[in-house]
Amino acid sequence: TSSSSLFAGIFLLCSPVRGSDGSVATAITCFTRGLDLRKETEDVLCPANCPLWQFYVFGDGVYASLSSVCGAAIHRGVITNAGGAVKVQTLPGQENYPAVNANGIQSQMLARWASSFAVTLLEAVGRSISTARPSTGKRPKKTLEKKSGNKDCKADIAFLIDGSYNIGQRRFNLQKNFVGKVAVMLGIGTEGPHVGVVQASEYPKIEFYLKNFTTAKDVLFAIKELGFRGGNSNTGKALKYTAQKFFSLENGARKGIPKIIVVFIDGWPSDDIEEAGIVAREFGVNVFIVSVAKPTTEELGMVQDIAFVDKAVCRNNGFFSYQMPTWFGTTKYVKPLAQKLCSHEQMLCSKTCYNSVNIAFLIDGSSSVGDSNFRLMLEFISNVAKAFEISDIGSKIATVQFTYDQRTEFGFTDYITKEKVLSAIQSIRYMSGGTATGDAISFTTRNVFGPMRDGPNKNFLVVLTDGQSYDDVRGPAAAAQKAGITVFSVGVAWAPVDDLRDMASEPRESHTFFTREFTGLEQMVPDVIRGICRDFLDSKQ
């Protein structure tokens, strides 16, 4: 079946037909669905010779309300293809409608739907014989459809559709049609892209989440059922809301998969969109803008900010903006947009300072520190590490302790969960000895960062020391920086400020920290995290 046939419009109910008992059965078409009926119990008359291969039926015995009523009646054995009168009973929604082949119709699986119905035979005397229970005898064999999807397209996508008075009911339906076609083209599946929909109007409404549907067919029907909300086109409000609320793990977002919001704007937004774009970037979301019917010259005076597209997209490089002149004849735009959304390597906003850095802590273990102050240093390291998304595909942490010697406490690949990293930090034993900071920087550059040289993450070294180094620090620090490592120096007590500045990356003021007391380390935690994030963002410009 072509995807476009799934968008067949709702067929209107036709004239009533009277039964022999005087009750009225309403004549319906082959394609009238359960959700097209308005009463809890309704008597209907199915026509003869419906094309069985065109029926969409979901479930067995209890059918999702998306199903064709006549198709369900034939599937259940209530009537044959010669047509007949059927009683339709509305039922609550459920999960896991099964796929069953019966009476020449293959019903399909559906993960969940909001309402259901059962069909029973409507007899001339007005009695009905229930067939909603499974029939006796051998149950037809269930068939499973392939659900893995397009494995080459890994993306979690929110379609933020325009539901404002700007677009109106007719163009809203055309928009749904287009979004449905893009969803089919993407190849939705358990191991492929997942999609959800948010409607922007006066207030944003999440229509369905990433976890709700994992087949194109389910998504198509869910899109088809969306109702037009109306109101102002508060796209900025909806974009900010979606970036903050939509992509949680509970709602189906997957770790390490690019997060994308495709924003459809008919005309222009009626609120500020720039701040929402900034929030989305901070949350690691790639924002695409699909603008339709750009404002005319006469209308430009009504637009708050004519550069709204450039300010909202992930990057203003042309890749993240998409222009369609009208909602009519949009089929040719479907494939190019789907290809963009599947371009994993182009999703520049997926990487944030929280999920794309390697941070090594170089800890002074000299005898001047003392055991209790050493614990405060470990506490500082833990609190910085806690801020980052540590995983095999995310940020990574390493620690080296030094005196005259160096000891790698753990490397970047030793622990790939935050819990294990924090536990390993607390288990570090205090060495005690002299202070050779320069040698320690060289050791860490070579042995800890060396294996990560060609990795995707940005590299940071945080040096914690409480005193004068017995060797040169300037040369080893310059070599580390040349190797692409950004160095922050954190000094306590007797650490000479000149040494700290010599180790730090440029600009030195913002990469050098000092406190007289070890208890002062705690207040520096947010500044160090902010510094790492600032450098990360600067490196991406």
Side-chain angles (χ1 to χ4, degrees), residues 226-368:
L226 300 177
F228 174 61
R229 289 171 66 78
N232 286 320
S233 56
N234 289 333
T235 312
K237 185 191 287 185
L239 175 55
K240 187 174 176 182
Y241 179 82
T242 306
Q244 291 173 328
K245 306 282 185 195
F246 185 84
F247 294 100
S248 66
L249 295 175
E250 313 84 84
N251 292 327
R254 296 167 290 175
K255 280 188 175 177
I257 302 290
K259 300 192 279 276
I260 298 169
I261 300 176
V262 185
V263 184
F264 291 90
I265 299 179
D266 186 287
W268 61 91
S270 51
D271 64 347
D272 176 46
I273 201 169
E274 183 175 10
E275 188 207 342
I278 293 166
V279 169
R281 289 190 284 278
E282 283 177 357
F283 276 80
V285 176
N286 299 274
V287 175
F288 283 76
I289 300 276
V290 177
S291 53
V292 185
K294 274 169 68 172
T296 62
T297 315
E298 300 77 48
E299 291 169 333
L300 280 175
M302 299 157 66
V303 182
Q304 273 191 32
D305 185 350
I306 56 171
F308 66 84
V309 171
D310 297 343
K311 290 177 179 175
V313 289
C314 163
R315 290 282 188 281
N316 183 17
N317 60 3
F319 180 77
F320 294 93
S321 48
Y322 202 67
Q323 172 67 37
M324 298 195 301
T326 166
W327 285 113
F328 296 95
T330 55
T331 304
K332 63 175 179 281
Y333 297 100
V334 170
K335 191 174 181 183
L337 179 58
Q339 285 171 335
K340 281 190 180 216
L341 300 180
C342 291
S343 303
H344 189 282
E345 68 291 345
Q346 301 266 16
M347 298 303 159
L348 303 176
C349 288
S350 294
K351 292 187 177 298
T352 70
C353 69
Y354 298 109
N355 67 19
S356 302
V357 294
N358 299 323
I359 308 170
F361 293 95
L362 186 53
I363 318 162
D364 187 343
S366 62
S367 18
S368 56

Side-chain angles (χ1 to χ4, degrees), residues 462-496:
V462 179
V463 182
L464 282 110
T465 181
D466 84 323
Q468 173 87 47
S469 176
Y470 290 105
D471 60 1
D472 170 57
V473 294
R474 189 178 295 176
Q481 290 164 36
K482 197 172 179 185
I485 302 162
T486 301
V487 182
F488 285 88
S489 59
V490 179
V492 191
W494 307 109

Side-chain angles (χ1 to χ4, degrees), residues 34 80 110 145 247 340 489 509 532 534:
T80 66
L110 187 62
E145 57 178 307
F247 294 100
K340 281 190 180 216
S489 59
E509 318 61 74
I532 290 169
R534 183 193 54 234

Side-chain angles (χ1 to χ4, degrees), residues 86-264:
V86 176
K87 185 179 279 295
V88 184
Q89 175 71 50
T90 301
L91 299 170
Q94 64 173 48
E95 296 191 354
N96 302 320
Y97 296 90
V100 173
N101 197 320
N103 299 313
I105 294 176
Q106 172 65 60
S107 76
Q108 298 177 58
M109 295 176 71
L110 187 62
R112 60 173 64 79
W113 198 251
S115 56
S116 315
F117 68 86
V119 284
T120 57
L121 180 64
L122 180 65
E123 290 197 321
V125 292
R127 284 190 302 114
S128 60
I129 303 164
S130 173
T131 56
R133 292 185 303 279
S135 55
T136 53
K138 201 169 180 186
R139 190 166 177 78
K141 193 178 175 186
K142 293 185 183 181
T143 58
L144 296 173
E145 57 178 307
K146 191 183 173 195
K147 295 180 116 181
S148 59
N150 177 9
K151 295 179 188 177
D152 295 329
C153 180
K154 289 281 203 299
D156 284 344
I157 303 169
F159 290 112
L160 180 52
I161 62 172
D162 190 339
S164 69
Y165 290 136
N166 256 13
I167 192 167
Q169 178 76 62
R170 185 181 181 210
R171 296 205 304 272
F172 179 77
N173 289 339
L174 292 169
Q175 175 185 222
K176 290 200 302 182
N177 197 330
F178 178 75
V179 171
K181 287 178 181 174
V182 174
V184 170
M185 183 66 69
L186 287 168
I188 294 162
T190 48
E191 295 172 56
H194 291 182
V195 306
V197 171
V198 182
Q199 187 173 166
S201 56
E202 200 69 45
Y203 299 98
K205 183 190 178 200
I206 295 174
E207 300 285 1
F208 59 89
Y209 287 102
L210 297 164
K211 68 178 181 182
N212 292 138
F213 306 108
T214 51
T215 69
K217 199 168 275 92
D218 291 0
V219 167
L220 262 181
F221 277 113
I223 290 169
K224 191 173 178 182
E225 293 312 303
L226 300 177
F228 174 61
R229 289 171 66 78
N232 286 320
S233 56
N234 289 333
T235 312
K237 185 191 287 185
L239 175 55
K240 187 174 176 182
Y241 179 82
T242 306
Q244 291 173 328
K245 306 282 185 195
F246 185 84
F247 294 100
S248 66
L249 295 175
E250 313 84 84
N251 292 327
R254 296 167 290 175
K255 280 188 175 177
I257 302 290
K259 300 192 279 276
I260 298 169
I261 300 176
V262 185
V263 184
F264 291 90

Side-chain angles (χ1 to χ4, degrees), residues 166 207 225 325 367 377 379 395 460 481 528 541:
N166 256 13
E207 300 285 1
E225 293 312 303
S367 18
M377 289 169 91
E379 201 60 40
S395 291
F460 292 89
Q481 290 164 36
V528 172
Q541 296 301 324

Side-chain angles (χ1 to χ4, degrees), residues 44-64:
V44 298
L45 187 65
C46 287
N49 303 318
C50 287
L52 298 189
W53 59 273
Q54 281 192 10
F55 279 131
Y56 278 97
V57 176
F58 299 85
D60 179 40
V62 174
Y63 299 94

